[in-house]
Amino acid sequence: MKLLIIEDNEDLLQNIQTYLKREGYICEAAQSYSAAFDKVMSYTYDVVLIDIMIPGGSGLQVLRELKSVNPETGTIIISAKNALDDKVEGLELGADDYITKPFQLPELHARIKAVNRRQQRDGREIINVNEIAINTKTMEVTVEENPVNLTPKEYELLLYFSSNKNHVLSKQTIAEHLWGDYVDHLDNLDFVYQHIKNLRKKLEQAGAEDYIESVYGIGYKFKVAT
């Protein structure tokens, strides 16, 4: 899962990043309104954590801009302000949850998972794609109940494909989702091909159909009949 954390408190930001990276998430950060605006306009995220009080502007304005371009992105407001008006305004702008500082990181983590389940998986913990079952709670994948041993990146890649069935995904989009925004500085994205090759091989060896279709000059599509 790829997250953006909009938070100007350096210590809190580091604590959140350290905790969530340890849980296996790709975490990007923005510490001002302009940085946050550039991020949400340039990249896509599964969940965005938004502090209301940030230098240069309001997190609520970032939320408004984010929802105008990517309304499906999960959003959680994190704020020291506990005023009812802020909660109401944030939720009316489209925020999916609201947590008041100080909070425990395990609670924040639980809320992130809940928002992501609601936004992308209709609240389900197990995703079924024909013979493939993906358990998002245990991170286990099976094909016809036979376990498939995937690396963390291969698991995230399969989860990303399953959430975007029949959509063409560019190599750049896949790379950014799995490795974060720093891929902008890489010379090539050949590693995407290698991970897809490995995922395809493991699924086929377990008895799954080959759902991954190459789209010439663009990227890949996880093609599933509907």
Side-chain angles (χ1 to χ4, degrees), residues 95-112:
D96 299 292
D97 201 354
Y98 191 114
I99 186 169
T100 303
K101 302 174 188 174
F103 49 78
Q104 298 295 316
L105 291 173
E107 181 186 358
L108 176 64
H109 186 202
R111 289 175 182 247
I112 290 170

Side-chain angles (χ1 to χ4, degrees), residues 172 175-176 179-192:
Q172 182 74 28
E176 288 173 1
W179 285 272
D181 305 340
Y182 82 96
V183 297
D184 288 348
H185 306 293
L186 299 179
D187 294 332
N188 65 70
L189 302 175
D190 291 346
F191 54 88
V192 173

Side-chain angles (χ1 to χ4, degrees), residues 39-92:
K39 289 278 190 184
V40 300
M41 290 292 119
S42 303
Y43 304 103
T44 58
Y45 300 92
D46 294 303
V47 177
V48 177
L49 310 180
I50 305 172
D51 186 15
I52 292 179
M53 303 294 288
I54 52 176
S58 167
L60 293 178
Q61 182 59 31
V62 176
L63 172 62
R64 185 180 288 107
E65 301 290 353
L66 169 62
K67 287 298 180 181
S68 71
V69 294
N70 285 311
E72 71 280 3
T73 300
T75 50
I76 301 175
I77 291 177
I78 52 174
S79 176
K81 300 181 71 175
N82 197 25
L84 178 61
D85 288 347
D86 292 321
K87 290 183 179 180
V88 171
E89 184 176 2
L91 294 171
E92 287 186 343

